[in-house]
Amino acid sequence: MSLVLGLDSSTQSLSAVILDTEAGIVLADHSVNFGDDLPHYNQSHGYDDSGSRGEVSSNPLMWLEALDLLLVQMSGEEIDFSKIEAVSGSGQQHGSVYLKSCFGEKLAGLSAKKDLKDQLAGCLARDRSPIWMDSSTTSECAEIAEAVGGNEIVCAKSGSFATERFTGPQIRKFAKESPAGYAETGVIHLVSSFFASIFAGRNVPIDYGDGAGMNLMNLAAKDWDADLVNATADGLAEKLPPCAPSNSSSGRISNYFVRRYGFSPTCETIIWSGDNPCSLIGMGASTPGKVVISLGTSDTLFAAMPEPKTDPNGFGHVFGNPAGGYMSLICFKNGSLAREAIKEQYGLGWEAFETKALSETPAGNRGLMMLPFYEPEITPAIDTGGPVFSANHEYSSGEAVRAVLESQFLNMRAHSNWLGVSPNRIYITGGASENDGIAQVIANVFGVAVDRLDVPGSATIGAGMRAAHGIGENLADLESKFSQPQEGRRLEPEPAACDVYNLALPKFKAFLAEQSAS
Ligand code: XUL
């Protein structure tokens, strides 16, 4: 029996799976929800968005407390960590943790008798971690782009235009606004490399998948780009961990986990990656050919790429594919945020949202659309100050549900053209993907059959698969065991509805253009 542990530190929760990679089964699946299980941080969805200029941050101590809590809960379920051969993980992308130089030393000497949070609190050079939802760095993006000769150059080097939520612009803002805190910072980690360092008991590298989401890594050289680093902040080169391939080992697990939770001292740690790169692995999409839509706090659309191709409009991104090569990523911030808002506004349960509401209205919603941008949207970059409805009419619950879903997926179709791929199957994942009504709207809007996988949480599973890959297991074998479509649940596109959406697409684009102009 070969067991690996995969973790996922996402926006709203920390999850873990244990995979038996020989048998191809998920042995354990646990989660700590930041809002429900750690209410004393007052971050009901895992973040604080009370900033007046689009700042969104999380408390890194909450993440540390969540890690101890998760492992305590798993131990209580009689899980025997001593059999785990390797650990890896997935982190929400772009978020950054600012640590003093003592961090590495502290990690090496952690006591198993005290909590992580209490031992590491003194190492934080900043008590907040800006996360991917932060949209407050528009001027820093412009400054970085100007310093290197324009956004086309930033994109050619890093795979993306200078982007508000990306780590480089966030670091620049911190260095400008809190020079003392920045000077005190010895190392800046991503969420992924922060957790990976804790497991390894030392500062570990940032992988090519997550490193590409910083506007700092040169995609071709797979290393920090001196021009981008210098344009971002003084002295930054000394504060960045090195870049490394995603399957790199970071050595044996820290004694903290051996003594406190009973891990084997021979358990290997593999560096972590971002949630979307891990999901690419978990969905079995690491070789080009599959397009994945992940429905989470943010919705994302991604695919492995044979060659790095960038988005001329500046909304999409190229990241490192953890299996080697590249992947594309398009992020839509108002994913479950918008679906939940409509569900709550109309007092619906998820079942009614799916079945009743969608069965009450026809495909195309008789022309009723909406721009479901409750938060400033990333793709396209637009701040409508809240949702905008296309008709001056009181939307019934069914009309509102259909409007939010159809608009989300028409928006996704409109902004994924640049990928130049015509998939014959779309794989969907994330909480809302279990919902047949939502999956059918996707099949009809894209005119493509939709499949779902058998496993829970593709980023967490992908992290576990990456742990196994890091100790030499074959990725294709792992995919054949863990990344298989559920039988009998494929949804085929319905031709009449597809025709309706082909006609609705230009109308949706015109509605969006009208609002962008106003
Ligand atoms: C991707 C992005 C989000 C986060 C959180 O660029 O910002 O998908 O990774 O899930």
Side-chain angles (χ1 to χ4, degrees):
M1 188 155 73
S2 185
L3 302 189
V4 292
L5 172 65
L7 292 120
D8 175 36
S9 176
S10 71
T11 315
Q12 308 205 34
S13 57
L14 178 70
S15 314
V17 289
I18 295 179
L19 307 183
D20 176 340
T21 59
E22 233 167 77
I25 45 179
V26 180
L27 285 183
D29 176 12
H30 284 259
S31 191
V32 162
N33 181 283
F34 301 136
D36 296 344
D37 298 323
L38 300 170
H40 43 287
Y41 288 95
N42 289 327
Q43 303 197 340
S44 57
H45 294 283
Y47 54 84
D48 170 4
D49 61 355
S50 60
S52 57
R53 290 183 297 134
E55 294 91 347
V56 184
S57 65
S58 293
N59 187 333
L61 296 179
M62 176 181 75
W63 296 334
L64 292 177
E65 190 169 342
L67 177 55
D68 272 324
L69 180 62
L70 180 70
L71 295 175
V72 166
Q73 286 182 354
M74 291 176 81
S75 306
E77 301 275 317
E78 319 254 299
I79 286 174
D80 179 3
F81 290 117
S82 72
K83 300 211 169 64
I84 306 282
E85 289 178 28
V87 182
S88 192
S90 139
Q92 54 168 308
Q93 295 200 255
H94 319 297
S96 41
V97 189
Y98 299 74
L99 297 140
K100 298 181 192 162
S101 309
C102 61
F103 182 58
E105 214 177 293
K106 258 280 178 221
L107 285 180
L110 287 177
S111 156
K113 296 206 173 81
K114 295 187 202 144
D115 293 348
L116 288 170
K117 168 179 71 79
D118 297 333
Q119 297 188 73
L120 295 172
C123 296
L124 291 177
R126 183 179 185 183
D127 60 1
R128 286 306 170 99
S129 288
I131 66 158
W132 66 275
M133 296 171 80
D134 188 297
S135 57
S136 68
T137 61
T138 306
S139 44
E140 286 75 16
C141 289
E143 288 156 8
I144 294 169
E146 199 194 325
V148 299
N151 254 323
E152 284 67 27
I153 295 179
V154 181
C155 190
K157 283 172 173 288
S158 73
S160 305
F161 280 32
T163 304
E164 276 81 353
R165 70 191 188 284
F166 277 34
T167 326
Q170 293 290 340
I171 294 173
R172 181 170 177 78
K173 182 170 182 239
F174 181 55
K176 277 168 53 184
E177 292 180 354
S178 308
Y182 179 71
E184 226 194 336
T185 302
V187 56
I188 300 174
H189 275 297
L190 292 179
V191 176
S192 57
S193 62
F194 174 61
F195 274 100
S197 300
I198 289 164
F199 275 93
R202 64 187 177 87
N203 281 302
V204 306
I206 289 179
D207 90 300
Y208 300 153
D210 220 8
M214 299 172 79
N215 280 144
L216 292 171
M217 196 185 90
N218 188 299
L219 268 187
K222 300 250 173 61
D223 204 351
W224 303 125
D225 184 279
D227 294 344
L228 289 170
V229 170
N230 293 336
T232 299
D234 287 343
L236 178 56
E238 292 80 64
K239 300 182 201 282
L240 293 172
C243 303
S246 308
N247 59 352
S248 304
S249 163
S250 40
R252 300 266 158 97
I253 197 164
S254 152
N255 255 331
Y256 178 82
F257 297 94
V258 175
R259 300 219 178 101
R260 192 167 165 121
Y261 297 111
F263 279 82
S264 158
T266 61
C267 175
E268 284 289 322
T269 61
I270 308 302
I271 63 171
W272 289 33
S273 188
D275 57 351
N276 294 295
C278 286
S279 228
L280 185 82
I281 303 293
M283 294 301 286
S286 64
T287 46
K290 286 187 181 172
V291 167
V292 180
I293 293 177
S294 166
L295 304 171
T297 307
S298 63
D299 290 342
T300 55
L301 183 148
F302 52 83
M305 286 174 133
E307 297 296 332
K309 181 173 180 191
T310 53
D311 177 5
N313 299 310
F315 303 130
H317 314 288
V318 181
F319 295 154
N321 174 341
Y326 300 94
M327 67 178 284
S328 58
L329 184 282
I330 313 172
C331 179
F332 303 87
K333 191 188 207 172
N334 289 277
S336 63
L337 290 174
R339 292 185 288 273
E340 273 166 31
I342 291 287
K343 177 176 108 31
E344 267 149 44
Q345 186 185 336
Y346 285 88
L348 303 169
W350 279 122
E351 212 183 305
F353 186 94
E354 171 184 7
T355 45
K356 190 171 156 294
L358 281 171
S359 62
E360 279 170 3
T361 50
N365 214 15
R366 299 189 187 90
L368 296 172
M369 290 182 284
M370 76 181 283
L371 298 184
F373 306 146
Y374 288 77
E375 297 274 338
E377 180 49 55
I378 289 170
T379 310
I382 182 172
D383 184 359
T384 48
V388 182
F389 292 85
S390 65
N392 191 4
H393 152 94
E394 205 162 308
Y395 284 52
S396 68
S397 58
E399 287 167 345
V401 169
R402 196 170 267 288
V404 74
L405 294 176
E406 292 183 342
S407 303
Q408 285 186 323
F409 300 118
L410 285 169
N411 187 42
M412 221 177 240
R413 184 172 153 190
H415 289 95
S416 51
N417 260 347
W418 63 275
L419 290 173
V421 286
S422 340
N424 54 17
R425 185 83 40 83
I426 290 179
Y427 292 78
I428 60 172
T429 178
S433 65
E434 276 308 301
N435 185 311
D436 279 349
I438 295 180
Q440 187 66 60
V441 175
I442 298 178
N444 291 345
V445 167
F446 284 87
V448 171
V450 162
D451 261 326
R452 282 156 286 188
L453 297 197
D454 250 337
V455 289
S458 54
T460 329
I461 296 286
M465 289 163 70
R466 288 184 46 257
H469 182 50
I471 53 168
E473 293 196 32
N474 181 289
L475 202 51
D477 265 8
L478 291 162
E479 285 183 359
S480 72
K481 288 173 175 160
F482 292 103
S483 316
Q484 291 307 312
Q486 289 177 31
E487 272 179 43
R489 290 206 66 204
R490 175 169 304 159
L491 288 164
E492 296 291 342
E494 299 162 328
C498 296
D499 291 346
V500 170
Y501 292 127
N502 287 337
L503 293 174
L505 186 65
K507 292 185 187 141
F508 176 77
K509 286 186 186 167
F511 176 40
L512 185 58
E514 207 178 279
Q515 294 301 317
S516 307
S518 66

